[in-house]
Amino acid sequence: MAIGSGLGAQIGIAAESSYGTFVAPAKFIEFTKEGLALQKTTAQSAGIAAGRLVPLSSRRVVTQRQASGSLEMEVTNKAMGVLLQTLMGTTVAPVQQAATAAYLQTHILADTAGKSLTIQKGVPLTTGTVTDKTFLGCKVISAEFSCEVGGMLLATFEIDAKDCDETQTLAVATYPAMSPFHFGQMSVKTGTFNSEVALDGIRKVSVKIERPQAVERFYAGQAGLKKEPISNDQVKITGSLETDYVATTLDDLHTSDAATSLVWDFTGPLIAATHYERFTVKVPAIRIDDAPPVVEGFDVVKPTYNFTGLYDGTNPTQIEYMSTDISL
């Protein structure tokens, strides 16, 4: 029996071969918070019947089902590939580095058609019995990554799902040895693409990637369930750089509205040869929206520069993930 609290909870994930078709979870992620929940649309008969003062319970029907919610977690050196692929859209096969145990995943921004997940969560009763809630057809609508002084690299994934199935067998969770990426491994570079230079004074970074999709594709003949969401707007990339005012590099970019490439990198322990555990976000062009530095008192000036990520016409936004995972 599991512990009858959140200590006994689990999340398992698997890439689906077709939207909304169950695949038994093959990876189990360590999470800090989740909010996945079934959402149902109901209709109540309003027929008039002489003397009836309250609507009949038997005349209430469920007309639509779907699910949504979020997953919050620390970004770790293993088991992140499936989530990253579902966010970014490119089908990825880890590439072995020379003959070492290091494998590089390069997640390039692309359409997310055909990329969906089965997400199974186990929710413990106080008795220790863990109940199954399996979410089918899970599409990643957005993901935000952030790290600040003294903290871990955190990720929040917003999920849209086709349905919640409570009839599946709860998979037995197993966890590989994992470690999180953190502030002590972080660096930030800007400049000409592929020749970026490290910035000083960075205290906090956040990057959000939004994948707008038509998530209300409910049609007749689908038993009240939706068809796979499809992209219905351009990808939105935004973020912020919280700094001490040690240089005018970002301030000048705000003034000129010039573009610069952004490389946000976390480099962990050595895997083998020259290959390190790594999580890297590359945005080929960002433009600073606001705000120029202001003096608010006696303390060090601490501007936060909000930015928009754009396409430079040649190089795509991508996330690189180096780990010992030989498969997603």
Side-chain angles (χ1 to χ4, degrees):
M1 300 291 282
I3 300 174
S5 67
L7 290 170
Q10 67 182 63
I11 293 283
I13 61 175
E16 294 177 342
S17 55
S18 61
Y19 177 70
T21 300
F22 173 77
V23 177
K27 298 242 181 213
F28 296 87
I29 57 175
E30 298 180 9
F31 67 104
T32 55
K33 185 179 180 181
E34 62 84 20
L36 293 168
L38 171 68
Q39 298 164 348
K40 61 186 182 183
T41 301
T42 62
Q44 177 67 54
S45 172
I48 297 172
R52 184 185 298 155
L53 301 180
V54 179
L56 281 174
S57 172
S58 62
R59 300 279 292 276
R60 172 168 152 151
V61 294
V62 177
T63 60
Q64 293 176 195
R65 290 168 59 94
Q66 59 183 319
S68 64
S70 61
L71 285 175
E72 299 180 20
M73 66 195 71
E74 298 165 353
V75 177
T76 57
N77 64 343
K78 293 184 71 67
M80 296 295 299
V82 173
L83 284 167
L84 295 176
Q85 177 176 263
T86 310
L87 166 68
M88 298 298 285
T90 300
T91 300
V92 173
V95 177
Q96 185 177 20
Q97 305 299 289
T100 70
Y103 287 78
L104 175 63
Q105 300 175 24
T106 302
H107 297 271
I108 298 172
L109 193 67
D111 187 26
T112 59
K115 299 294 187 298
S116 62
L117 302 172
T118 293
I119 300 179
Q120 185 182 65
K121 72 173 182 178
V123 184
L125 298 170
T126 55
T127 58
T129 299
V130 182
T131 63
D132 157 65
K133 294 185 183 296
T134 299
F135 296 87
L136 306 174
C138 296
K139 303 283 288 187
V140 176
I141 301 301
S142 73
E144 183 169 12
F145 304 93
S146 64
C147 185
E148 63 184 345
V149 171
M152 303 292 192
L153 171 58
L154 304 176
T156 299
F157 293 87
E158 295 295 333
I159 306 294
D160 176 85
K162 180 177 181 177
D163 197 13
C164 178
D165 181 359
E166 299 185 11
T167 66
Q168 299 295 336
T169 299
L170 188 68
V172 177
T174 58
Y175 302 93
M178 294 186 285
S179 60
F181 291 102
H182 59 82
F183 181 79
Q185 301 167 333
M186 186 173 89
S187 67
V188 180
K189 298 179 182 179
T190 58
T192 304
F193 183 82
N194 250 2
S195 300
E196 297 88 355
V197 177
L199 288 176
D200 191 13
I202 303 296
R203 300 180 55 84
K204 181 179 179 180
V205 179
S206 69
V207 174
K208 185 174 185 179
I209 300 173
E210 299 177 69
R211 308 304 310 260
Q213 295 174 54
V215 298
E216 295 292 330
R217 298 185 65 213
F218 292 95
Y219 307 140
Q222 301 296 318
L225 302 177
K226 69 175 69 176
K227 299 198 78 172
E228 180 178 2
I230 54 177
S231 298
N232 65 352
D233 201 351
Q234 292 180 313
V235 177
K236 295 176 174 61
I237 303 171
T238 56
S240 64
L241 300 167
E242 183 179 306
T243 73
D244 280 359
Y245 194 47
V246 301
T248 65
T249 304
L250 296 174
D251 189 17
D252 292 343
L253 288 169
H254 171 260
T255 301
S256 67
D257 201 41
T260 185
S261 174
L262 173 70
V263 176
W264 182 27
D265 179 75
F266 293 80
T267 301
L270 180 68
I271 298 174
T274 59
H275 308 295
Y276 293 80
E277 295 172 355
R278 182 164 59 84
F279 181 91
T280 307
V281 178
K282 295 183 176 181
V283 185
I286 67 167
R287 293 184 185 256
I288 306 296
D289 298 316
D290 58 19
V294 293
V295 179
E296 297 181 326
F298 297 119
D299 200 1
V300 173
V301 177
K302 298 179 182 296
T304 295
Y305 298 93
N306 297 309
F307 64 82
T308 298
L310 301 164
Y311 179 43
D312 68 355
T314 303
N315 305 290
T317 294
Q318 63 186 49
I319 297 175
E320 295 179 354
Y321 184 56
M322 184 86 79
S323 75
T324 58
D325 287 338
I326 62 175
S327 64
L328 267 57

